Amino acid sequence: MQLTPAKRVSHIKPYFFAELAKRIATMRAAGKDVVRLDMGSPDLPPPGFILEAMFDSASKTNTHGYTLGQTQKFRDAVAAYYQKRFGVQLDSKTEVVDLIGSKEGLFILSQVMLNPGDVSIVPDPSYSVYAKSAEIAGGVVHLMPLLEKNAFLPDLESIPADVLKKAKILWLNYPNNPTGAIADMKFLESAVAFARKHNVLLAHDAPYCDVGFNGYHAPSILEIPGAKEVAIEFNSVSKTYNMAGWRVGMAVGNPDAVRFIDTYKSQQDSAIFAPLMAAAEVAMLGDQTWLNERNRIYQERRDVIVDGLHRAGLRVAPPQAALYVWAPVPEGQTSMDFCSRMLEDTAVSTTPGVVFGKYGEGYFRISLVAEAARLREGIDRVAGWLQKH
Ligand SMILES: Cc1ncc(COP(=O)(O)O)c(C=O)c1O
């Protein structure tokens, strides 16, 4: 029997990192010592008190069933976290929904908001799910360039009027993946006002809000008065608390958007395993001081990478947040060829900028998810290689 996929999904290509992982596995099998600086999965564990909360919950007899419809305690904890961390007041019954990682919510938002032909305005470069989820929903993606000359903030006023008329979602993500850029309150205020004026839902993706350097703490878009009327924010414990594999996230804000996601989810999945929620609650509401040391470690790693790139003659501004250094590819090369040759010649794996969209061409992304000594080894190999070429 020959199967054909539904038209809706027939154009989907395998996720870039899945293919890269296969190539790296082959290289490792051949004895190469590959330094992986491509994906953004935190390498450090969460602290013991978070793990203990999970063990405690898992050791009970009544925590192993489905939790669908039984996540209110977690939603209350998210509301308390938003109050404590951002000074944002949320109604945990109507303005919070639990997610199996924020990625789930990003994908679902497009499914519940877009009719075929509706426009989703997506930054480029960006995390691929914003655009892919819109395409799968039958929506039309309008790309909004993030340019270095604009500090990787979009120029909202340049979005054409006919696009805005059909637009249902406008995506933003700060601190930003892949550029490491941040947005100040003035920009976020202008985005909220813009969304209100053009009657478009502002979807702010904020999973890097607590990975910041030199004491930087990112704001929530919901800190802006009235933002809840026009905005939904996605967040998770993945990057903030070194819990990416746990798959615990949340969407907060506009109650209609929250309800649409909640309803869709009730048909799609059966919510989060109770011990994981218990641990995430402790992570959000317990001691936060350990994040200072964790961020100091990331900052040291950032400096190792930035110094190495400078030695290699590549100009980069040190990012103030997120897990990445966004660096220019030497002139005359595509990012895909450059990263592929780098992997072949130096066994250091980074991500070509074009993977994040056409405006990512000319850059490559280095993740800060290895120990400083390992990063130093990787960047030394790259610097030596660049100097030879
Ligand atoms: C910008 C951005 N949004 C969302 C996610 C997904 O995070 P989560 O683990 O919460 O699903 C990532 C993961 O790398 C990301 O970079």
Side-chain angles (χ1 to χ4, degrees):
M1 184 169 58
Q2 172 102 44
L3 297 181
T4 47
K7 282 206 194 89
R8 207 175 59 255
V9 297
S10 58
H11 64 284
I12 301 177
K13 297 201 193 85
Y15 199 50
F16 170 79
F17 293 103
E19 296 296 291
L20 181 65
K22 283 187 208 154
R23 181 165 169 201
I24 290 172
T26 310
M27 289 177 72
R28 283 184 171 155
K32 290 234 170 133
D33 173 28
V34 181
V35 180
R36 281 203 74 168
L37 309 180
D38 45 79
M39 276 183 89
S41 187
D43 58 310
L44 298 165
F49 73 90
I50 296 177
L51 299 176
E52 273 163 29
M54 192 269 286
F55 296 142
D56 279 355
S57 173
S59 67
K60 296 193 174 119
T61 53
N62 62 349
T63 51
H64 301 274
Y66 293 125
T67 57
L68 188 63
Q70 299 170 59
T71 59
Q72 190 55 46
K73 185 161 172 280
F74 175 78
R75 294 178 186 192
D76 293 344
V78 170
Y81 164 72
Y82 259 73
Q83 178 70 60
K84 187 170 63 113
R85 168 64 180 83
F86 302 107
V88 167
Q89 213 172 348
L90 293 168
D91 180 341
S92 64
K93 296 227 164 47
T94 57
E95 295 173 341
V96 179
V97 58
D98 44 286
L99 298 172
I100 301 182
S102 63
K103 187 176 184 182
E104 183 194 35
L106 307 177
F107 184 85
I108 293 178
L109 187 71
S110 295
Q111 313 313 310
V112 298
M113 287 296 295
L114 301 177
N115 285 313
D118 285 345
V119 171
S120 183
I121 302 174
V122 172
D124 182 338
S126 67
Y127 188 55
S128 61
V129 180
Y130 317 140
K132 291 295 163 224
S133 61
E135 287 168 15
I136 290 169
V140 175
V141 173
H142 176 82
L143 295 177
M144 192 169 56
L146 302 186
L147 304 177
E148 193 165 351
K149 67 175 186 192
N150 298 335
F152 299 111
L153 295 171
D155 176 6
L156 299 176
E157 296 302 333
S158 70
I159 301 169
D162 59 324
V163 169
L164 282 167
K165 263 197 213 117
K166 293 191 214 143
K168 298 286 285 292
I169 310 174
L170 168 62
W171 291 97
L172 290 177
N173 159 227
Y174 292 98
N176 185 256
N177 173 18
T179 67
I182 57 172
D184 62 14
M185 284 309 266
K186 198 162 150 262
F187 172 79
L188 295 177
E189 270 163 26
S190 70
V192 168
F194 186 86
R196 191 187 304 280
K197 179 171 169 199
H198 296 286
N199 198 30
V200 56
L201 177 67
L202 188 57
H204 186 232
D205 185 22
Y208 299 96
C209 65
D210 271 318
V211 180
F213 312 128
N214 298 115
Y216 175 73
H217 293 284
S220 160
I221 199 144
L222 299 181
E223 287 177 39
I224 294 156
K228 269 193 270 183
E229 288 155 28
V230 299
I232 183 164
E233 183 159 272
F234 295 91
N235 213 325
S236 76
V237 298
S238 296
K239 321 282 177 173
T240 297
Y241 301 113
N242 300 344
M243 296 167 77
W246 294 53
R247 315 309 305 130
V248 180
M250 69 289 282
V252 296
N254 182 282
D256 289 334
V258 163
R259 191 179 71 255
F260 301 160
I261 293 174
D262 199 13
T263 305
Y264 186 100
K265 261 178 68 67
S266 70
Q267 295 290 355
Q268 170 177 283
D269 62 64
S270 301
I272 306 167
F273 182 42
L276 304 183
M277 283 193 286
E281 287 159 22
V282 166
M284 289 187 288
L285 301 181
D287 176 34
Q288 307 287 305
T289 54
W290 66 277
L291 298 180
N292 298 332
E293 173 59 12
R294 194 278 314 273
N295 285 347
R296 192 201 58 73
I297 293 171
Y298 280 144
Q299 185 171 335
E300 183 189 353
R301 296 172 176 186
R302 176 202 69 172
D303 293 342
V304 165
I305 294 296
V306 169
D307 289 350
L309 290 170
H310 283 172
R311 269 187 284 123
L314 294 182
R315 60 176 177 94
V316 280
Q320 286 187 63
L323 282 178
Y324 313 104
V325 174
W326 186 237
V329 166
E331 261 180 50
Q333 304 180 48
T334 67
S335 58
M336 198 57 92
D337 283 353
F338 175 72
C339 292
S340 182
R341 282 197 302 112
M342 186 198 297
L343 177 58
E344 198 56 45
D345 295 349
T346 70
V348 177
S349 179
T350 57
T351 310
V354 74
V355 165
F356 303 98
K358 65 178 175 181
Y359 292 95
E361 186 52 280
Y363 295 88
F364 67 112
R365 191 190 78 171
I366 303 171
S367 300
L368 305 177
V369 292
E371 281 179 11
R374 187 78 175 145
L375 282 173
R376 199 167 284 117
E377 169 168 359
I379 204 68
D380 283 351
R381 284 191 213 165
V382 172
W385 177 73
L386 278 168
Q387 274 152 5
K388 268 195 250 143
H389 292 75

